[in-house]
Amino acid sequence: MLTFLYRIYQLFIAAPILLIATLLAALLTSVGCMVGNGHFWGYWPGRLWSILICRMLLLPVTIEGKEHLQPGQSYVFVANHQGAFDIFLIYGFLPRHFKWMMKRGLRTIPFVGYACEKAGHVFVDKRGAKAIEHTIETARATLQGGTSLAVFPEGARTFTGHMGLFRRGAFALAHDIGLPIVPMTIDGSFDVLPRMRGFNFVNWHPLRLSILQPIASDDIKEAMERSYNAIIGALPEHHQGFVSNPDQ
């Protein structure tokens, strides 16, 4: 009965409000970045939009480890990719001004893709060596003045709730620029909306973001291994362990 009522609430109350909020956030970001302060408009509409989505869907959110972050320090944040709600959890509740590193294909999402471009998020282009080099240079230019970068090193959402392989790009970038890496564990997003269900009703489930100890980026391989082990170690037992992701 509660599940039925929650779905009715989503359909007739939450969904219309969040649709309007999504269009409004995209519009404010796009216009604000064109005519105003891109540092402000490229971040705050998206953050407030993400908070609203979690609150409107009545999802409890817990943030752990904020004390690990130093004021004014840029970081490369790396997290496991459990599902679509990873975006809202990190964007809305990570207490740090940052840009996303995201797949180039996301640029095609109506309104949102254009807003992401105007906001200065970094689209990963893998169509050739020059495209990859341009992506790295764009990211390097973004990580200035205390701005951080958030990356999903798996590159794809899980099908099982378990972690797949990490790609080295984010770690190499952190190494090149000399920035510390901050592993983050996301728990609950897979339960809210598993990838296999596509666009569908969400399940009520708590969301947790654990900000773990920063890791030096001096050695790329070591940083990858330490980050992976830290993230997987903070997952609940039923989601620990490697499971191959055919999408990687």
Side-chain angles (χ1 to χ4, degrees):
M1 183 62 179
L2 287 178
T3 299
F4 174 75
L5 292 176
Y6 185 44
R7 290 187 172 184
I8 292 296
Y9 166 78
Q10 289 181 51
L11 184 61
F12 293 104
I13 299 177
I17 293 174
L18 295 180
L19 176 60
I20 294 172
T22 299
L23 296 175
L24 182 60
L27 179 63
L28 285 174
T29 298
S30 301
V31 176
C33 288
M34 285 190 290
V35 302
N37 185 338
H39 189 74
F40 176 89
W41 293 105
Y43 174 70
W44 281 104
R47 180 173 187 180
L48 296 175
W49 167 70
S50 297
I51 293 173
L52 178 65
I53 286 176
C54 292
R55 298 308 189 205
M56 283 296 301
L57 293 172
L58 312 177
L59 302 173
V61 173
T62 301
I63 309 298
E64 303 170 346
K66 289 186 287 186
E67 67 276 6
H68 294 150
L69 304 181
Q70 298 298 319
Q73 171 67 54
S74 294
Y75 296 102
V76 174
F77 293 98
V78 295
N80 58 314
H81 204 359
Q82 278 205 338
F85 274 76
D86 299 345
I87 305 293
F88 311 130
L89 179 61
I90 294 177
Y91 211 167
F93 299 94
L94 177 63
R96 188 55 53 116
H97 194 294
F98 71 92
K99 302 297 183 183
W100 289 104
M101 181 173 276
M102 57 181 64
K103 290 182 177 180
R104 183 175 62 90
L106 296 177
R107 174 60 182 83
T108 62
I109 299 176
F111 301 107
V112 174
Y114 179 76
C116 288
E117 180 181 9
K118 301 306 293 183
H121 299 302
V122 181
F123 292 97
V124 179
D125 193 337
K126 300 179 181 178
R127 290 177 294 178
K130 288 186 177 180
I132 293 173
E133 183 178 350
H134 176 71
T135 297
I136 294 172
E137 290 304 318
T138 301
R140 182 179 285 112
T142 298
L143 292 170
Q144 304 294 330
T147 299
S148 297
L149 192 70
V151 188
F152 297 116
E154 293 167 280
R157 289 170 291 158
T158 177
F159 286 97
T160 64
H162 297 77
M163 288 173 60
L165 297 172
F166 270 7
R167 300 180 184 276
R168 71 189 304 270
F171 302 93
L173 177 65
H175 171 77
D176 290 346
I177 304 176
L179 291 180
I181 296 162
V182 177
M184 300 191 300
T185 298
I186 294 172
D187 177 39
S189 178
F190 180 78
D191 302 280
V192 170
L193 187 62
R195 179 177 182 178
M196 305 81 70
R197 292 179 58 195
F199 185 76
N200 210 321
F201 291 104
V202 305
N203 301 317
W204 185 94
H205 194 280
L207 294 168
R208 175 174 60 91
L209 178 66
S210 297
I211 303 167
L212 307 173
Q213 289 277 3
I215 293 172
S217 58
D218 301 337
D219 185 297
I220 297 174
K221 183 178 179 181
E222 180 184 355
M224 287 179 65
E225 291 177 353
R226 290 180 60 192
S227 297
Y228 193 96
N229 291 335
I231 293 170
I232 204 169
L235 283 169
E237 187 175 350
H238 63 279
H239 280 158
Q240 290 189 4
F242 167 80
V243 173
S244 178
N245 187 337
D247 220 15
Q248 289 191 295

